[in-house]
Amino acid sequence: MPFRLVILLGLLCALLPLHHGAPGPDGTAPDPAHYRERVKAMFYHAYDSYLENAFPYDELRPLTCDGHDTWGSFSLTLIDALDTLLILGNVSEFQRVVEVLQDNVDFDIDVNASVFETNIRVVGGLLSAHLLSKKAGVEVEAGWPCSGPLLRMAEEAARKLLPAFQTPTGMPYGTVNLLHGVNPGETPVTCTAGIGTFIVEFATLSSLTGDPVFEDVARVALMRLWESRSDIGLVGNHIDVLTGKWVAQDAGIGAGVDSYFEYLVKGAILLQDKKLMAMFLEYNKAIRNYTRFGDWYLWVQMYKGTVSMPVFQSLEAYWPGLQSLIGDIDNAMKTFLNYHTVWKQFGGLPEFYNIPQGYTVEKREGYPLRPELIESAMYLYRATGDPTLLELGRDAVESIEKISKVECGFATIKDLRDHKLDNRMESFFLAETVKYLYLLFDPTNFIHNNGSTFDAVMTPYGECILGAGGYIFNTEAHPIDPAALHCCRRLKEEQEEVEDLMREFYSLKRSRSRFQRKTVSSGPWEPPAGPRTLSSPENHDEAKEKPAKQKISLLSCPSQPFTSKLALLGQVFLDSS
């Protein structure tokens, strides 16, 4: 009888939803429905405070209940929060904000803007909102998603960034004036992430508009970084975009480097690009060999591999989520649990954490409500269903509300040791932190669609499928539907065909007259060739390769038994990967 009782209890436990096993502070499980509502309330407390006290400025100052411009005077918090509104189910406010942005945002202004931040927040936010407009009930124009007001705004913003890429290396300056281009005397030193974080937004923009210039400049920048890696396979923190020489030679996975690695993986999935994935996997080997110590990742000298900073940075907490995308779940969980212990120690992640000392680093004790650890929890929970991951979501909600909540929103935590606050609420709090928290506790959200539902959309180039799942989040958590890139492809293919004919025409003219000189451009602007020839990550001439037996690609979705595959956001990876 006891044995049968044990068996019955075991079967009952197996039938219960996974999340009900996560113990709360009093030993009970966090209730996803309860925390969904808590997160939604957090969002509206912050969002309404911004509208009432800070709009049309970029960001809210929650301690003084006013606003200020930070990244360019774009009403940035409104752009960043737009797709979060839809994820929370608020279609009416989404529709209203779309109208507000069209009427109020102007990119033809004399402002020095961060190329990186403008891309991930403004271009990424507008592209995502454009692709989600139909789902939000917006009356889209004929030709959507290959046309539309938000797409035109995204293109206008991106064109303002293109002058930054006009360097001898093709790697962009970090700052550009939106009206005048790159300022004379602008520093040529740019961080690695500021060079390698464009392929998701720019390739999407090229696919939707048919203009290849955006994807072209993003790919050149990625390849220049790849060619600049050290002999042991690492990249540093900052590089001179005019000379290609490394200025800061600290190598790691955190601040200044992070989203470069992220975009190699996400770009590979979005574009089904084997070379980008091969590049990341090569970096991943070097990172494991030289920067990983136990289940922590340190900073090392990029040429020697010697430890330069034994610290964990809060920005590194995206790494377990990125590992989950390539199927490295065991290592991802071990690293995640390390990072979670730091959160529990302080009620947040300090910007720098000294690993040997187990404490904060001087002048880096703050927590600006960053999303990275919550992001990793969301990815890992989708990949594994492990109920312990919900504990981080619970901890985040409880600590942010207790420490950071003020009358006018949520304030940056200036010092986690005494919980002093700073007068800033960054736009990524609504774009990322709240969004990832909500998605962690909302397993049936449309973002998690497994392909069981979809929308068939007629475009000028035929029918295409949208909304079937597999969304790729940019580094600001703006979701991009990969299927949309194929909706307008014929436009791009036709343009490329015309360009090929034009090149052939001018080539014939040159052959007729050896003295006639003509310049042929393949687009509005073609990046200049760098000091070295572009090479593939395999470092060999592909044209000379012999046909090899085809192997299963990391980027393919072969039919496999359930036990031998990992499905995450619509992408399937083999366990052996």
Side-chain angles (χ1 to χ4, degrees):
M1 188 70 176
F3 178 76
R4 291 178 61 191
L5 182 60
V6 169
I7 295 296
L8 287 172
L9 287 173
L11 290 172
L12 179 61
C13 290
L15 292 171
L16 290 173
L18 287 170
H19 52 247
H20 288 318
D26 58 355
T28 60
D31 178 10
H34 167 76
Y35 279 101
R36 268 201 310 276
E37 292 307 309
R38 293 270 298 275
V39 174
K40 188 179 289 189
M42 288 171 62
F43 173 85
Y44 285 113
H45 177 64
Y47 181 76
D48 292 344
S49 294
Y50 167 77
L51 290 180
E52 292 168 9
N53 301 286
F55 177 79
Y57 291 103
D58 278 341
E59 291 180 351
L60 170 70
R61 297 202 302 174
L63 300 185
T64 52
C65 297
D66 57 11
H68 65 151
D69 284 332
T70 53
W71 296 113
S73 191
F74 306 127
S75 298
L76 190 58
T77 295
L78 208 55
I79 295 175
D80 249 354
L82 186 50
D83 51 42
T84 309
L85 283 166
L86 183 58
I87 285 172
L88 268 58
N90 194 337
V91 296
S92 60
E93 181 64 4
F94 183 101
Q95 294 168 11
R96 187 190 75 83
V97 172
V98 167
E99 296 293 331
V100 170
L101 292 177
Q102 292 179 60
D103 293 339
N104 291 276
V105 176
D106 181 13
F107 299 114
D108 197 23
I109 52 178
D110 188 5
V111 167
N112 295 326
S114 165
V115 180
F116 170 83
E117 299 289 354
T118 304
N119 176 56
I120 67 170
R121 303 192 195 211
V122 178
V123 178
L126 291 171
L127 282 174
S128 179
H130 164 72
L131 293 174
L132 293 171
S133 291
K134 192 175 180 67
K135 181 175 283 293
V138 174
E139 187 175 347
V140 298
E141 67 183 39
W144 181 91
C146 309
S147 65
L150 295 180
L151 176 60
R152 288 189 287 273
M153 290 176 67
E155 182 180 4
E156 182 185 358
R159 288 200 184 280
K160 295 289 187 178
L161 306 181
L162 288 180
F165 291 83
Q166 296 185 28
T167 65
T169 64
M171 295 187 284
Y173 284 95
T175 303
V176 68
N177 184 280
L178 299 182
L179 196 60
H180 305 295
V182 177
N183 288 323
E186 177 65 43
T187 175
V189 177
T190 306
C191 71
T192 303
I195 294 167
T197 310
F198 294 92
I199 191 65
V200 170
E201 298 84 1
F202 276 28
T204 300
L205 197 54
S206 284
S207 294
L208 295 179
T209 64
D211 189 339
V213 66
F214 302 106
E215 183 174 344
D216 288 348
V217 298
R219 284 188 177 276
V220 169
L222 284 176
M223 291 305 298
R224 294 298 187 236
L225 282 175
W226 171 254
E227 294 169 347
S228 300
R229 70 196 187 282
S230 69
D231 290 340
I232 61 174
L234 297 173
V235 289
N237 201 268
H238 285 75
I239 195 169
D240 187 314
V241 301
L242 299 181
T243 66
K245 293 182 179 179
W246 289 102
V247 176
Q249 298 181 1
D250 294 310
I253 61 171
V257 184
D258 47 3
S259 51
Y260 169 46
F261 295 138
E262 179 186 355
Y263 271 40
L264 288 176
V265 173
K266 291 182 176 180
I269 298 171
L270 181 70
L271 303 172
Q272 296 291 287
D273 191 311
K274 297 179 182 180
K275 287 186 178 181
L276 294 183
M277 185 63 81
M279 288 160 66
F280 174 78
L281 293 177
E282 284 298 311
Y283 278 130
N284 197 35
K285 291 177 185 176
I287 288 166
R288 287 200 308 264
N289 288 340
Y290 294 101
T291 75
R292 183 179 176 181
F293 291 81
D295 294 314
W296 296 95
Y297 292 84
L298 310 183
W299 289 82
V300 301
Q301 210 281 339
M302 65 176 289
Y303 293 103
K304 301 177 182 177
T306 53
V307 175
S308 58
M309 291 188 294
V311 300
F312 157 61
Q313 298 178 346
S314 61
L315 283 170
E316 296 171 15
Y318 79 99
W319 189 255
L322 193 64
Q323 287 177 303
S324 76
L325 283 175
I326 63 168
D328 192 4
I329 301 298
D330 288 342
N331 287 321
M333 283 295 294
K334 292 174 184 176
T335 299
F336 175 86
L337 292 174
N338 275 352
Y339 297 168
H340 190 190
T341 61
V342 178
W343 182 291
K344 289 189 286 188
Q345 183 179 353
F346 296 101
L349 289 185
E351 293 287 70
F352 282 28
Y353 179 80
N354 187 302
I355 297 170
Q357 296 179 2
Y359 207 63
T360 60
V361 175
E362 186 178 0
K363 298 182 180 180
R364 294 292 187 273
E365 303 94 347
Y367 171 56
L369 309 182
R370 291 197 188 278
E372 283 75 16
L373 189 59
I374 302 163
E375 173 187 0
S376 285
M378 191 276 289
Y379 275 110
L380 284 169
Y381 187 63
R382 296 301 303 170
T384 69
D386 189 330
T388 60
L389 291 156
L390 295 180
E391 295 182 36
L392 183 276
R394 175 205 66 206
D395 292 348
V397 172
E398 300 293 347
S399 60
I400 290 173
E401 282 200 333
K402 181 177 181 180
I403 302 170
S404 177
K405 187 176 182 179
V406 295
E407 182 180 352
C408 293
F410 291 86
T412 287
I413 301 171
K414 187 176 183 178
D415 193 329
L416 280 167
R417 298 170 303 175
D418 56 17
H419 294 169
K420 288 182 180 178
L421 300 178
D422 205 356
N423 194 21
R424 188 175 185 186
M425 186 182 81
E426 296 214 39
S427 68
F428 60 64
F429 178 67
L430 294 180
E432 300 185 80
T433 307
V434 172
K435 182 183 296 165
Y436 284 131
L437 271 175
Y438 192 80
L439 289 174
L440 176 63
F441 290 117
D442 188 16
T444 61
N445 196 279
F446 76 87
I447 286 291
H448 299 316
N449 186 9
N450 62 4
S452 57
T453 62
F454 59 88
D455 296 316
V457 179
M458 287 302 300
T459 76
Y461 313 102
E463 186 180 67
C464 68
I465 302 299
L466 293 175
Y471 291 90
I472 303 297
F473 288 100
N474 85 335
T475 197
E476 189 78 0
H478 295 305
I480 301 294
D481 188 344
L485 275 65
H486 302 277
C487 289
C488 316
R489 183 141 295 176
R490 189 180 301 173
L491 180 65
K492 182 178 180 181
E493 290 171 351
E494 288 173 353
Q495 180 169 336
E496 289 174 346
E497 185 177 347
V498 171
E499 290 169 355
D500 288 341
L501 289 172
M502 291 296 291
R503 291 191 191 97
E504 184 178 349
F505 171 74
Y506 281 112
S507 177
L508 287 171
K509 290 193 72 174
R510 281 196 299 269
S511 67
R512 289 172 182 168
S513 175
R514 59 181 295 183
F515 302 107
Q516 187 177 9
R517 300 177 62 88
K518 284 196 177 284
T519 302
V520 183
S521 174
S522 63
W525 172 72
E526 186 171 314
R532 288 190 277 177
T533 303
L534 293 181
S535 60
S536 72
E538 294 84 0
N539 287 320
H540 63 265
D541 186 356
E542 290 187 345
K544 297 179 181 178
E545 279 189 342
K546 294 181 179 179
K549 186 178 180 181
Q550 188 171 2
K551 298 180 180 178
I552 294 176
S553 167
L554 278 172
L555 305 177
S556 66
C557 296
S559 176
Q560 294 288 331
F562 177 79
T563 54
S564 69
K565 69 183 181 183
L566 164 70
L568 183 62
L569 298 180
Q571 184 66 31
V572 178
F573 293 97
L574 303 183
D575 287 343
S576 60
S577 66

